[in-house]
Amino acid sequence: MGHAYFLEDGIEENNTFEGNLAVFTKHSSSLLNVDVTPASYWIVNPQNNFIGNVAAGGTHFGFWFNMPAHPGGPSFTDKVCPRNKGLKIFKDNEAHSFGRYGIWVWQFWNPRGNGSCGSTEPNETTMT
């Protein structure tokens, strides 16, 4: 119950999630909002690779991009800004049969320049 595959703090980069299967991700009765509305793949830093993964059914979301302004928890630093970072690789993934959305991109993700905290130039990012 809660998230199936996830990155915890937002500091995590250069990991590869490839060929994974998440089936019927259910909400929990946890006090954390993100566990009450879970995703099969909860992505808090887009500088990771997601290739050929499947999210098959669940109460809320298949892939949820929810980048914080800065990493949280024990990894907290104001020198890293996940919301400014572009997407590394997101290709050949599938999501179906969810209570809400197969893929949900949180409204505050706005890739900028080289992804640093001071970047202001818009940066295009793509999913295939």
Side-chain angles (χ1 to χ4, degrees):
M1 297 197 335
H3 302 303
Y5 296 93
F6 64 96
L7 300 167
E8 184 69 27
D9 294 341
I11 194 82
E12 305 89 348
E13 294 186 354
N14 301 313
N15 298 288
T16 298
F17 293 80
E18 185 171 6
N20 296 294
L21 172 64
V23 179
F24 199 61
T25 306
K26 295 172 41 172
H27 65 86
S28 76
S29 57
S30 167
L31 295 178
L32 298 174
N33 187 42
V34 296
D35 288 331
V36 175
T37 57
S40 293
Y41 298 85
W42 190 51
I43 304 163
V44 292
N45 189 319
Q47 284 292 290
N48 292 285
N49 303 311
F50 294 86
I51 304 164
N53 297 292
V54 177
T59 58
H60 288 79
F61 312 109
F63 296 87
W64 180 4
F65 287 87
N66 184 8
M67 275 60 87
H70 303 287
S75 301
F76 175 78
T77 176
D78 60 4
K79 307 279 189 264
V80 176
C81 297
R83 288 183 184 169
N84 286 6
K85 297 182 179 286
L87 188 58
K88 196 162 185 182
I89 298 174
F90 188 88
K91 71 175 189 173
D92 300 329
N93 297 293
E94 300 177 33
H96 59 83
S97 305
F98 280 89
R100 297 219 179 139
Y101 306 108
I103 184 168
W104 189 30
V105 179
W106 195 248
Q107 63 188 348
F108 299 113
W109 183 28
N110 193 8
R112 298 283 177 180
N114 63 3
S116 68
C117 293
S119 298
T120 57
E121 186 70 27
N123 184 6
E124 182 177 308
T125 194
T126 60
M127 296 178 182
T128 59

